[in-house]
Amino acid sequence: MNIIKYFQEVRRDGKIIEENMSVQDLIDEGWGVEQVTTLRWEVEGKKKELHNSAGILAEVLSDRSAVVGIFTQGGNDILKVINPDGTERLTISNNQLLNGDIVKGVFEWFEPASCNSGPCFGVIFKSDSTGNIYQLDIDAISGQVISERRNM
């Protein structure tokens, strides 16, 4: 399996956020808020780069088999799973089957996943109609929701 190494996020101002940096590290550096527009990593010794001028919120899966990102495109936030080679594996629908109902919403940010088998990730999803917030665990191979928890 190809694994992702040396993951970095590049902000619009050119400052590089290393994978091991915390929010507190950014504050300590005196960095203000700025959008991330480029992701960089290595796989099998080859450098990869993905750019989105409107912004990206991203993280590497814990098994390092993919990058997940919320990409701002045309005023919408789109959740994608990216293969180590930089190609798109999946786009996750903003219509989710939750508690037996189709819920239209938006993916907001990532949270630690509660799943521990296979490549998966945790993400916060907010319903457009009710404002309800759900924490979803999503399988990074199929794109299916593994578990859901309504937070509010």
Side-chain angles (χ1 to χ4, degrees):
M1 171 182 17
N2 296 334
I3 62 167
I4 294 167
K5 298 180 180 178
Y6 313 117
F7 182 74
Q8 298 176 320
E9 298 171 287
V10 183
R11 297 163 27 128
R12 186 180 309 280
D13 61 10
K15 294 178 180 169
I16 296 172
I17 303 171
E18 300 291 343
E19 184 175 3
N20 62 349
M21 292 178 80
S22 68
V23 172
Q24 188 59 51
D25 292 333
L26 303 180
I27 292 168
D28 291 347
E29 291 288 332
W31 294 0
V33 175
E34 186 60 76
Q35 279 188 325
V36 169
T37 56
T38 303
L39 306 176
R40 294 180 183 158
W41 65 90
E42 270 188 37
V43 61
E44 295 186 335
K46 296 177 185 159
K47 294 183 188 290
K48 301 294 176 182
E49 187 169 292
L50 195 58
H51 183 75
N52 186 42
S53 61
I56 311 167
L57 177 64
E59 68 176 31
V60 178
L61 294 184
S62 61
D63 71 355
R64 310 201 66 79
S65 66
V67 173
V68 291
I70 300 171
F71 294 77
T72 301
Q73 295 177 329
N76 297 313
D77 290 335
I78 311 291
L79 178 60
K80 297 180 181 186
V81 180
I82 306 298
N83 291 314
D85 66 3
T87 60
E88 184 179 319
R89 179 184 301 170
L90 295 169
T91 296
I92 310 296
S93 175
N94 283 357
N95 295 312
Q96 290 294 316
L97 180 62
L98 304 174
N99 297 320
D101 295 320
I102 298 292
V103 179
K104 182 173 177 22
V106 64
F107 295 99
E108 301 261 324
W109 69 85
F110 297 102
E111 288 287 335
S114 62
C115 54
N116 53 15
S117 61
C120 63
F121 61 95
V123 66
I124 298 299
F125 180 80
K126 183 177 180 183
S127 167
D128 286 346
S129 62
T130 64
N132 288 340
I133 296 173
Y134 300 86
Q135 182 166 352
L136 307 180
D137 287 348
I138 297 179
D139 181 293
I141 302 295
S142 69
Q144 298 298 309
V145 173
I146 299 168
S147 69
E148 62 182 84
R149 291 171 300 291
R150 186 170 155 213
N151 292 342
M152 302 187 139

